[in-house]
Amino acid sequence: MSKPLNIIFAGTPDFAAQHLAALIDSPHNVVAVYCPPDKPAGRGKKITACQTKQLALAHEIPVIQPLNFKEQADQKALIELKADVMVVVAYGLLLPKVILKAPRLGCINVHGSILPKWRGAAPIQRAVESGDQQTGVTIMQMDEGLDTGDMLLTALCDITEQDTSTSIYQKLAELGPKALLETLSLMAENKHQAIKQDNEQATYATKLDKSEAELNWHLPAKVLHQKLRAYIPWPVAQFTFIDDKTKEHRIRVWQASVVKNSAPVQPGTIIDVDKTGITIATSEQALKLESLQLPNKKAMAVADILNSKANWFKTGQSINGQLR
């Protein structure tokens, strides 16, 4: 590699911090780290620095935390760093044109999908939810659009039927830093090639909403299983159980599997109960619930839940219990 690059890094969560760690360990020089202002976190709402900031301070890298880049003073401060390139990973702030053009080689972003598929806020979750068999990271030259910039490098990984958003997140957190360093090596030698995205092939990964977590038993079991895996660790797929006193209980589903079903019953009907799981009819096949979380409890195997709540889950009744 030719002369190391001077890099501005911008990012917030652990996913970003893992990319910053790779840059710190590389020959490149991280001249500054940008992240949002500290905010309350946890049950105590204590003002807490994000993981990217904590890592930067541990390595004595200057940290800058503008509210946004609307102020000219903030724009000027970044320009005066005279960086070769700005690396953006899950930063959370939109960058105006003046910032995108400030570094010599512009700004690049690590995006958790195979662009142009799944532009937007929740690419990992939407890939799992849709049953995609493959995802990856795209290193992209940033422009003023939403994940519309030219692609510099793409690295791929498979999505198995056991993967959740959590496990894919972990896979991409390992894949992304390697792809980033490879891209920067090419940029340092001016050997990188920019490939335009096909906008006609673009899909958008909208942000997850809590309302999506409610399981609809009229969907095929395969679709429900994909949603369940996509919503881990948040908002977690769930259903409402109504007991004999008409009290509602929100029950989260952490693990399930698709099983065969030929019984002519309504979707949402319990067709089998044993220590391995509670099997629920759907519009196609059935979903066996294997790990559940009752309100104010930890997630437990169904075998443990049946020890105290066997009367809730009986073959032939609705999984929602006593319906109003």
Side-chain angles (χ1 to χ4, degrees):
M1 186 180 71
S2 60
K3 185 178 178 181
L5 299 173
N6 289 325
I7 297 171
I8 297 170
F9 185 86
T12 306
D14 176 67
F15 186 77
Q18 293 188 54
H19 288 75
L20 175 58
L23 292 177
I24 292 171
D25 291 338
S26 76
H28 301 294
N29 179 35
V30 181
V31 298
V33 167
Y34 277 74
C35 58
D38 300 349
K39 61 181 182 180
R43 292 184 178 180
K45 298 299 180 181
K46 181 180 179 181
I47 299 298
T48 305
C50 69
Q51 289 169 293
T52 301
K53 178 180 178 178
Q54 294 177 40
L55 179 62
L57 293 177
H59 288 83
E60 299 181 341
I61 300 171
V63 175
I64 306 172
Q65 298 175 271
L67 192 61
N68 51 51
F69 283 102
K70 294 181 180 180
E71 299 294 331
Q72 288 189 352
D74 292 326
Q75 297 174 5
K76 183 180 179 182
L78 187 144
I79 293 170
E80 289 179 347
L81 291 171
K82 299 185 184 300
D84 294 307
V85 64
M86 182 170 178
V87 174
V88 181
V89 186
Y91 183 29
L93 289 181
L94 293 176
L95 304 183
K97 187 175 181 179
V98 64
I99 298 299
L100 294 173
K101 299 296 183 182
R104 179 175 64 86
L105 296 170
C107 300
I108 64 173
N109 174 249
V110 181
H111 184 73
S113 80
I114 307 170
L115 289 173
K117 193 170 188 179
W118 302 130
R119 296 172 177 173
I124 294 174
Q125 295 92 331
R126 298 307 180 189
V128 176
E129 180 185 37
S130 296
D132 292 357
Q133 295 183 344
Q134 197 173 54
T135 187
V137 293
T138 302
I139 312 298
M140 169 189 64
Q141 189 83 51
M142 297 178 69
D143 61 16
E144 292 182 87
L146 178 62
D147 301 327
T148 56
D150 294 347
M151 301 176 292
L152 303 178
L153 188 145
T154 301
L156 308 177
C157 78
D158 292 334
I159 301 177
T160 71
E161 292 185 358
Q162 288 72 47
D163 275 317
T164 65
S165 290
T166 297
S167 64
I168 293 298
Y169 180 98
Q170 293 168 344
K171 288 182 180 181
L172 298 190
E174 294 179 5
L175 192 65
K178 297 175 184 177
L180 173 61
L181 292 179
E182 183 178 349
T183 302
L184 291 172
S185 293
L186 292 171
M187 295 180 80
E189 298 178 2
N190 198 29
K191 292 181 178 180
H192 59 293
Q193 294 184 340
I195 301 173
K196 291 191 176 299
Q197 296 186 41
D198 183 352
N199 291 327
E200 293 185 358
Q201 299 298 317
T203 57
Y204 288 87
T206 55
K207 186 177 180 179
L208 291 181
D209 187 270
K210 286 183 178 181
S211 63
E212 298 179 67
E214 185 74 22
L215 291 171
N216 179 356
W217 305 107
H218 290 272
L219 294 173
K222 182 178 180 180
V223 173
L224 290 173
H225 190 241
Q226 289 165 187
K227 289 179 176 293
L228 187 154
R229 291 159 43 222
Y231 302 160
I232 293 174
W234 189 91
V236 187
Q238 52 197 272
F239 62 92
T240 302
F241 176 84
I242 303 174
D243 64 22
D244 57 6
K245 297 180 181 179
T246 69
K247 182 179 180 181
E248 294 186 355
H249 305 269
R250 299 288 286 172
I251 300 177
R252 292 180 169 183
V253 183
W254 286 92
Q255 186 172 328
S257 58
V258 177
V259 296
K260 293 181 179 180
N261 173 41
S262 57
V265 296
Q266 287 293 316
T269 302
I270 299 175
I271 57 178
D272 189 38
V273 179
D274 60 32
K275 291 184 178 181
T276 66
I278 302 165
T279 304
I280 316 300
T282 69
S283 62
E284 292 180 21
Q285 305 299 349
L287 193 68
K288 178 183 278 192
L289 311 183
E290 298 163 344
S291 177
L292 302 177
Q293 183 179 6
L294 302 182
N296 302 313
K297 302 289 184 181
K298 294 181 179 180
M300 294 186 290
V302 162
D304 296 324
I305 290 175
L306 291 177
N307 288 334
S308 61
K309 300 295 183 183
N311 62 312
W312 281 15
F313 308 108
K314 296 180 180 179
T315 301
Q317 75 175 38
S318 168
I319 185 61
N320 297 112
Q322 180 180 322
L323 300 179
R324 293 176 177 174

